[in-house]
Amino acid sequence: MECIESFNFQTGRRVGRRYVVVERLGAGWEGEVYRLVEETTGIDRVAKFYFPHRNKSGRAAQRYAIRLHRLRDCPIVIQYIYHDWCHFHKARIEYVVSDYVEGELLSRILSRQPGKRFHTFEALHVLLALARGIEQVHARGEYHGDIHTDNILVRRRGLSFEMKILDFYDLGRSNKEKRFEDVLDMIHVFYEILGGRRHYARQPAIVHDVCKGLKRTLIRRLFHNAGDLKRYLEKYGWDG
Ligand SMILES: Nc1ncnc2c1ncn2[C@@H]1O[C@H](COP(=O)(O)OP(=O)(O)O)[C@@H](O)[C@H]1O
Ligand SMILES: [Mg+2]
């Protein structure tokens, strides 16, 4: 199997019958992500193109498409549009098209904050929005597998953070352990956006009650999935 490390698609390149490349958005282990425009409508889309050696017999792309489709009712998940393949140097390249989401990466918003950290209440809003969104993914028996600040697109509206989660990671069949790993990842995001280890000791009680010093066994006693975390935040007893 040919080992392609980059497609390096240029702006204006046609993809299949309906899309034209706008720009490259990212490159990961499985493939590359490009912004495309649908030629007939001018609608922006995003496509993930799979490296053939990471997508033997087309299964990875198919699984990703089916997973997004199964989660189409979850507002935190980007909408699946289309799956197809194109040629690249005689290789068959599969790609999965989804909607293009306006927003800014959480990592980028964080880097603009004074001291590169959020206030407690802002961070709690971020965590609650994540927990509410991922709860629906977990309720459908699925998991994300790679939650971190570079995979969360945010649009701020009023007091709330509307978010979309990108880049589902395929770790095989969903189970309790993978859903718990999502919970740990969400708590790591919360810890990171509050300034990490340097500021942890001085954080208010709610932060310690949720983060538990990032100790898995302590966190597992409280939360098994995103729904547990969401309910905990919604019912938190401020007065002890
Ligand atoms: N549906 C989307 N809408 C808008 N931007 C996106 C979308 N999907 C990905 N991106 C942008 O592309 C970057 C890379 O995409 P991602 O799916 O995280 O792949 P990877 O991390 O493997 O490069 C993201 O960090 C984000 O900035
Ligand atoms: Mg990513």
Side-chain angles (χ1 to χ4, degrees), residues 25-28 33 46 78 98-101 105 150-151 153 166-167:
L25 295 171
V33 176
V46 166
I78 52 168
S98 58
D99 60 348
Y100 176 80
V101 178
L105 289 177
D150 281 324
N151 278 340
L153 266 176
L166 311 169
D167 218 3

Side-chain angles (χ1 to χ4, degrees), residues 106-107 109-111 113-128 149 161 185-214 233 238:
L106 183 57
S107 54
I109 298 177
L110 183 65
S111 69
Q113 303 305 305
K116 300 202 186 330
R117 63 193 175 107
F118 284 98
H119 294 294
T120 312
F121 251 80
E122 291 173 313
L124 281 165
H125 273 285
V126 169
L127 181 62
L128 181 59
T149 56
F161 290 82
D185 286 348
M186 285 187 266
I187 292 175
H188 273 94
V189 165
F190 181 56
Y191 182 90
E192 178 190 338
I193 66 178
L194 280 165
R197 197 150 67 114
R198 215 154 77 85
H199 296 275
Y200 184 69
R202 277 170 281 131
Q203 297 289 355
I206 186 167
V207 174
H208 294 150
D209 288 343
V210 169
C211 294
K212 299 284 179 209
L214 299 182
L233 294 171
W238 292 95

Side-chain angles (χ1 to χ4, degrees), residues 3 8 45 57-58 81 87 94 104 107 116 119 128 181 188 191-192 199 209 229 231-232:
C3 189
N8 199 20
R45 300 292 188 206
S57 67
I81 307 280
H87 280 299
E94 307 236 358
E104 202 178 356
S107 54
K116 300 202 186 330
H119 294 294
L128 181 59
E181 292 293 332
H188 273 94
Y191 182 90
E192 178 190 338
H199 296 275
D209 288 343
L229 178 58
R231 284 183 290 278
Y232 184 87

Side-chain angles (χ1 to χ4, degrees), residues 149-190:
T149 56
D150 281 324
N151 278 340
I152 301 170
L153 266 176
V154 178
R155 233 178 339 182
R156 300 189 73 162
R157 198 175 296 259
L159 290 184
S160 58
F161 290 82
E162 291 174 3
M163 46 181 72
K164 296 278 180 190
I165 187 116
L166 311 169
D167 218 3
F168 277 71
Y169 202 70
D170 194 347
L171 299 163
R173 212 173 255 276
S174 180
N175 58 28
K176 270 189 178 164
E177 198 51 40
K178 288 171 193 143
R179 292 191 286 273
F180 175 64
E181 292 293 332
D182 279 350
V183 171
L184 282 179
D185 286 348
M186 285 187 266
I187 292 175
H188 273 94
V189 165
F190 181 56

